[in-house]
C-alpha cells in the first residue's frame, strides 16, 4: 500500500516545532508530522521553550526503498528453538516492510521444527522516547503473533537501576489468542496485548522474572478494538519516560503504567512469532513445536509495516 501524500507546513514558533496540518487521519500522518499524543503534549507545554520533540533517524524508517536498510536494521538473528528467523522471510515493496512466516520443516540441533519466520531489529539501542509503527496483521489465525517491541540484551545495564538486568516493553502483540484462566476461553482475534517483562535482583540477591502471569497488576495490559487487526493498517505506539509508560493505538491512549524497571538500553524490534496451537508452552525453552498441528494450512502469510517512527525529547 502506497503512503497517502498529504500537505504539511511546519511553523517554528518560540523554538517549538508546531505542525500546521490539513485535517487528515492520524494513521496517515507524514514523517515530519508529530503524532497526535505528542502534539497534545507540545500544546500543553508551550510555556517551556527549552525542549521539543525530534524524529530520530537511527530508529525511523518509511520502508520506501526496494531493499532493507542494513545500516539501521539487523536481520540475521540466529535461530532460537521455534524462532527460526531468516532474512529470506523479509522484503520491502509498495512502501511497506513485509515479515513472512512460511511452512518449512527443518532440523535444528537435532530437533524437528516446522516454520521459518522473520525479524528486524535496530542496530542501535535506546531507552526513552515515543515509538510508533503502522502495522497490518497477518492473515493466518490462530498460530502467529505480529509484534512491535523493545528489549535489552541482558548485558547493557543502567547504574541508576542496578537491580534491573532485563527490560522488555511490548508495544503491541496481536492475534495471540491466548487462553485465559479467568474467562476459561481463548482471547480471540481482536485482543491486543501491551505487556511488560523484566528481570530484577530481589532482596535475597536472586535474579527473578517479573512478567504478566505473576504480576498482572504491573505487567499485563489489554485492549479490545472494534476492528480486526488483519483487515487494515493501524498505528501502535508507546511512550517510555523515566516516570511512566503509556500505550496508544490510532492516537488513543489505551494503557499506562508506572515505570519501575524499564530503564535499560533496548533494541527496536519487529517480529512474526509462533503461538498455540502451533507451539505449546512447555520444554526447556518454554516453547515446544506441536507436530500434529503443524501443517501448511494458511502459509505463507505476512504482517506488513508501513513505517516505524521514533521521537525523542531534546533540549533546544
Amino acid at each position: 500500500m502506497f503512503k497517502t501524500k498529504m500537505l504539511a507546513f511546519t511553523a517554528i514558533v518560540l523554538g517549538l516545532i508546531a505542525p500546521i496540518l490539513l485535517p487528515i487521519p492520524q494513521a496517515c500522518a507524514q514523517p515530519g508530522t508529530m503524532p497526535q499524543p505528542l502534539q497534545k503534549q507540545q500544546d500543553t507545554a508551550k510555556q517551556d521553550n527549552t525542549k521539543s520533540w525530534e524524529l530520530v533517524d537511527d530508529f525511523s524508517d518509511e520502508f520506501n526503498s526496494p531493499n532493507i536498510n542494513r545500516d539501521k536494521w539487523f536481520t540475521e538473528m540466529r535461530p532460537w528453538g521455534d524462532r527460526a528467523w531468516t532474512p529470506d522471510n523479509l522484503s520491502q515493496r509498495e512502501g511497506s516492510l513485509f515479515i513472512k512466516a512460511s511452512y518449512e520443516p527443518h532440523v535444528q540441533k537435532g530437533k524437528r521444527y516446522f516454520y521459518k519466520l522473520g525479524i528486524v531489529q535496530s542496530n542501535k539501542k535506546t531507552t526513552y522516547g515515543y515509538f510508533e509503527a503502522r502495522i497490518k496483521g497477518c492473515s493466518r489465525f490462530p498460530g502467529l503473533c505480529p509484534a512491535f517491541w523493545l528489549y535489552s540484551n541482558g548485558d547493557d545495564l543502567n547504574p541508576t537501576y542496578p537491580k534491573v538486568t532485563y527490560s522488555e516493553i511490548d508495544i503491541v502483540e496481536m492475534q495471540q489468542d491466548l487462553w485465559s484462566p479467568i474467562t476459561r476461553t481463548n482471547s480471540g482475534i481482536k485482543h491486543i496485548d501491551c505487556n511488560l517483562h523484566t528481570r530484577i535482583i530481589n532482596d535475597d540477591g536472586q535474579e527473578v522474572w517479573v512478567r504478566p502471569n505473576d504480576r498482572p497488576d504491573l505487567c499485563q495490559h489489554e485492549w479490545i478494538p472494534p476492528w480486526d487487526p488483519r483487515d487494515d493498517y493501524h498505528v501502535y505506539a508507546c511512550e517510555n519516560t523515566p516516570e511512566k509508560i503509556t500505550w496508544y493505538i490510532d492516537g488513543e491512549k489505551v494503557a499506562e503504567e508506572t515505570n519501575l524497571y524499564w530503564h535499560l538500553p533496548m533494541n527496536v524490534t519487529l517480529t512474526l512469532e509462533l503461538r498455540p496451537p502451533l507451539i505449546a508452552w512447555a520444554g526447556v525453552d518454554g516453547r515446544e513445536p506441536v507436530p500434529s498441528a503443524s501443517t501448511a494450512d494458511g502459509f505463507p502469510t505476512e504482517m506488513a509495516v508501513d513505517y516505524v517512527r521514533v521521537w525523542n525529547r531534546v533540549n533546544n
Side-chain angles (χ1 to χ4, degrees), residues 168-171 173 176 193-197 212 219-222 247:
E168 176 182 329
I169 300 174
D170 296 334
I171 301 171
E173 290 180 297
Q176 295 203 90
D193 290 293
C194 305
N195 292 333
L196 299 169
H197 304 259
C219 298
Q220 190 173 55
H221 309 87
E222 305 167 345
W247 289 264

Side-chain angles (χ1 to χ4, degrees), residues 16 40-49 51 313:
L16 296 175
K40 289 180 179 178
Q41 290 185 36
Q42 197 86 315
D43 291 342
T44 303
K46 279 186 177 177
Q47 308 299 335
D48 179 8
N49 297 335
K51 294 183 186 246
R313 286 284 263 181

Side-chain angles (χ1 to χ4, degrees), residues 59 121-127 151-168 198-199 207 261-268:
F59 306 100
Q121 180 187 83
S122 63
N123 287 320
K124 296 186 177 181
K125 299 170 186 175
T126 187
T127 304
Y151 79 101
S152 65
N153 63 8
D155 296 325
D156 294 321
L157 303 179
N158 184 336
T160 307
Y161 303 90
K163 292 190 174 183
V164 180
T165 61
Y166 176 79
S167 292
E168 176 182 329
T198 185
R199 286 196 306 265
E207 186 179 37
Y261 306 120
W262 291 271
H263 304 285
L264 302 184
M266 294 177 279
N267 296 97
V268 179

Side-chain angles (χ1 to χ4, degrees), residues 37-38 41 129-132 150 169-172 194 196 221 236-249 251-259 262:
L38 302 193
Q41 290 185 36
Y130 182 90
F131 307 84
E132 75 167 22
L150 314 172
I169 300 174
D170 296 334
I171 301 171
V172 64
C194 305
L196 299 169
H221 309 87
Y236 303 91
C238 175
E239 183 182 5
N240 188 35
T241 74
E243 298 76 32
K244 64 182 179 180
I245 305 166
T246 310
W247 289 264
Y248 301 89
I249 296 179
E252 174 186 350
K253 184 167 79 171
V254 297
E256 189 169 86
E257 191 58 70
T258 302
N259 191 347
W262 291 271

Side-chain angles (χ1 to χ4, degrees), residues 54-196:
E54 177 180 78
L55 188 69
V56 185
D57 185 67
D58 287 337
F59 306 100
S60 302
D61 203 326
E62 300 300 306
F63 303 119
N64 283 330
S65 67
N67 300 309
I68 294 172
N69 186 344
R70 282 350 194 253
D71 292 335
K72 291 185 179 184
W73 305 109
F74 181 67
T75 63
E76 301 196 21
M77 190 79 69
R78 287 181 297 178
W80 177 26
D82 67 281
R83 299 174 176 95
W85 292 307
T86 170
D88 293 339
N89 279 24
L90 302 169
S91 63
Q92 284 184 198
R93 61 184 189 273
E94 299 177 342
S96 287
L97 166 71
F98 291 88
I99 303 177
K100 183 172 68 173
S102 52
Y103 179 72
E104 297 183 52
H106 61 283
V107 175
Q108 176 73 19
K109 295 183 178 179
K111 192 167 185 176
R112 186 167 175 78
Y113 297 96
F114 298 90
Y115 301 96
K116 293 193 176 180
L117 310 161
I119 182 173
V120 295
Q121 180 187 83
S122 63
N123 287 320
K124 296 186 177 181
K125 299 170 186 175
T126 187
T127 304
Y128 305 119
Y130 182 90
F131 307 84
E132 75 167 22
R134 188 168 180 253
I135 302 170
K136 182 179 179 181
C138 66
S139 59
R140 161 76 197 217
F141 177 82
L144 289 168
C145 172
F148 173 40
W149 49 305
L150 314 172
Y151 79 101
S152 65
N153 63 8
D155 296 325
D156 294 321
L157 303 179
N158 184 336
T160 307
Y161 303 90
K163 292 190 174 183
V164 180
T165 61
Y166 176 79
S167 292
E168 176 182 329
I169 300 174
D170 296 334
I171 301 171
V172 64
E173 290 180 297
M174 63 183 82
Q175 303 182 211
Q176 295 203 90
D177 197 39
L178 299 181
W179 171 260
S180 169
I182 298 174
T183 64
R184 309 294 296 176
T185 61
N186 286 63
S187 56
I189 184 60
K190 292 184 178 180
H191 186 98
I192 299 291
D193 290 293
C194 305
N195 292 333
L196 299 169

